[in-house]
Amino acid sequence: MRKFTLLIAAACAAIAFAPVMQAQQKFINATYSVSSWFKSQNEIVAEELKDFDFIYFSAAPKWEVADFDLPQSEINKKYVEQHTYSDPKFINKFVATVHETGGKVLCSFPGQEFIDIASSPERSKKFAQMMAQFVKKYNYDGIELDWEHTITEELHISFMQDIRKALTDLGNGKRQYWLTTALHHYRNYTPEQAKQLCDCADWINIMFYDMGGGIWGKTATHNTPLDQIKKSISTEWKHFPHKKLHIGLASYGFYYKGIKPGETIPKGKKLSDYGKYCNYTELPPLLADGWQEQWDDVAQCAYFVSPDRNEFMTLETKRSIDAKLDWIEESGFGGVFWWEYSCDWIRPKRAASEAPTSSSTT
């Protein structure tokens, strides 16, 4: 039973979707999906996938930096021609099913090695060419670049420019290939850099989750506080047109024990001593056991607190989603996206004959 993804779909149902190429672009609803988190092909259901205009599918090939000093033909042979998923039928069905709904699938390329790729003009161009051919082989509709660590603004832009050229050449004026990128909310681009990035990206995904303490900070706070999102937009992202920005929302949160909402950890402790990641699917049983919602008017978010008040969760609610959507639509942003497709999905119970099989696909 899908919770938050249906909430977003219902809230956006009145907003028609138009392709990115058209001048009158409408609101876009997208999600990330990790290929190996699916249990079987039976979980690929058009009725559930149809709520999304775009899906960023994390199923890119694993690579070695040194290989991109080889000739392009050898790179393409290894990473495209000879590449095969462990379950190619699963990948084909996923892409085909999304296409049946009218949606698009962008292959998400994540990696910390991008600094070693992008810092070399030759490697960068070769990697971009490999990406384009990989997209062509598996009938993806473009690329989503998820470069979270070691990133520098200058190298990020030049890498994106190389990828844009490779996709444009691949389309050859006959087909649109999309290019997007995900960035942490605290990135800061100059006006010139913002223009350069907008010129090569169809849009920019801002990861406005993990804004609280998570398990790495010092204070156990909200995962997606609206007041902090607004502040970030007005500072770090002030040079970007709102239509080029998509707001990142989360169907996961954090669970804490032995610490109160807003409390700072003692010296010598780590927040991971008190907390961990949690999915929305973990909340309904707790509500049945008496956990209560506490609303924060400033952050426009909720905490969920245990009966003994020694445990709590920070997760989205319909009310917090509605508050964000109202602001997102009023502010004229291009759309929203979610991490992650399976985090609010309660899998249906199946008979033994339908037991899922492993589908590790990378």
Side-chain angles (χ1 to χ4, degrees):
M1 171 176 165
R2 182 156 298 279
K3 298 284 187 177
F4 286 110
T5 48
L6 291 182
L7 290 175
I8 180 77
C12 299
I15 307 175
F17 168 69
V20 172
M21 293 182 71
Q22 295 183 9
Q24 299 300 317
Q25 176 182 332
K26 300 299 183 180
F27 198 89
I28 292 174
N29 180 31
T31 186
Y32 281 87
S33 185
V34 178
S35 60
S36 59
W37 290 5
F38 282 89
K39 301 301 182 184
S40 75
Q41 291 190 45
N42 294 335
E43 295 184 350
I44 303 174
V45 181
E47 183 63 23
E48 295 182 350
L49 294 170
K50 71 179 178 58
D51 295 325
F52 303 102
D53 304 307
F54 286 81
I55 295 181
Y56 312 119
F57 199 42
S58 296
K62 299 184 185 302
W63 68 85
E64 297 292 335
V65 172
D67 284 339
F68 292 88
D69 293 324
L70 298 171
Q72 188 74 61
S73 59
E74 293 185 36
I75 295 170
N76 288 358
K77 182 177 181 180
K78 178 175 181 178
Y79 291 103
V80 181
E81 296 169 25
Q82 295 180 346
H83 176 274
T84 182
Y85 291 108
S86 60
D87 189 353
K89 291 182 179 179
F90 176 92
I91 297 293
N92 293 338
K93 180 176 179 180
F94 183 88
V95 174
T97 302
V98 175
H99 286 166
E100 286 172 12
T101 71
K104 306 295 181 183
V105 185
L106 306 191
C107 188
S108 180
F109 277 77
Q112 298 185 25
E113 300 88 347
F114 286 144
I115 188 69
D116 296 318
I117 295 292
S119 59
S120 164
E122 292 78 15
R123 284 178 178 171
S124 178
K125 289 178 173 58
K126 289 177 180 179
F127 198 99
Q129 288 296 323
M130 179 276 289
M131 285 173 145
Q133 293 306 310
F134 191 86
V135 163
K136 179 181 179 181
K137 177 177 179 177
Y138 291 104
N139 198 26
Y140 292 120
D141 299 289
I143 290 169
E144 191 274 340
L145 183 69
D146 186 13
W147 183 2
E148 298 185 18
H149 306 284
T150 72
I151 186 175
T152 67
E153 286 78 8
E154 294 82 3
L155 289 178
H156 176 244
I157 291 168
S158 64
F159 193 26
M160 287 286 289
Q161 290 171 335
D162 285 341
I163 301 170
R164 167 54 72 194
K165 183 179 187 308
L167 290 178
T168 300
D169 291 345
L170 178 65
N172 194 29
K174 299 177 181 178
R175 178 174 176 180
Q176 165 93 17
Y177 286 99
W178 279 265
L179 174 60
T180 69
T181 187
L183 296 170
H184 283 303
H185 62 87
Y186 50 76
R187 296 296 173 199
N188 205 331
Y189 290 79
T190 66
E192 181 181 3
Q193 289 172 335
K195 183 180 184 307
Q196 291 173 331
L197 185 54
C198 287
D199 285 345
C200 59
D202 286 285
W203 61 80
I204 297 98
N205 294 318
I206 313 177
M207 295 181 284
F208 279 126
Y209 32 81
D210 292 354
M211 294 190 77
I215 56 174
W216 54 85
K218 296 185 179 298
T219 306
T221 58
H222 294 293
N223 189 28
T224 53
L226 183 54
D227 59 326
Q228 294 301 311
I229 293 175
K230 290 179 178 179
K231 181 179 179 181
S232 179
I233 283 291
S234 66
T235 53
E236 288 94 347
W237 300 95
K238 62 184 178 182
H239 301 308
F240 288 80
H242 281 192
K243 274 295 182 185
K244 276 285 187 176
L245 301 179
H246 288 201
I247 305 301
L249 303 176
S251 49
Y252 75 94
F254 292 92
Y255 159 88
Y256 298 100
K257 183 175 183 179
I259 191 170
K260 292 181 172 56
E263 183 179 349
T264 300
I265 57 175
K267 187 176 180 180
K269 288 284 189 177
K270 298 179 295 184
L271 200 51
S272 57
D273 295 333
Y274 302 88
K276 64 179 183 178
Y277 284 92
C278 63
N279 291 341
Y280 175 82
T281 52
E282 299 174 51
L283 180 61
L286 298 180
L287 294 176
D289 285 341
W291 284 50
Q292 297 293 319
E293 177 182 332
Q294 292 184 349
W295 182 255
D296 183 333
D297 279 325
V298 175
Q300 292 287 290
C301 286
Y303 289 121
F304 294 90
V305 183
S306 65
D308 64 4
R309 311 190 73 78
N310 193 44
E311 304 167 75
F312 78 94
M313 282 183 169
T314 165
L315 282 164
E316 294 278 23
T317 66
K318 182 180 186 302
R319 183 177 177 184
S320 68
I321 291 173
D322 286 342
K324 290 182 176 70
L325 285 176
D326 287 345
W327 169 71
I328 289 168
E329 292 182 40
E330 290 169 2
S331 302
F333 292 104
V336 295
F337 68 98
W338 301 81
W339 182 271
E340 186 270 350
Y341 177 79
S342 65
C343 290
D344 64 347
W345 183 22
I346 300 174
R347 285 186 167 91
K349 293 181 180 179
R350 293 188 174 89
S353 60
E354 296 180 286
T357 56
S358 174
S359 62
S360 177
T361 53
T362 58

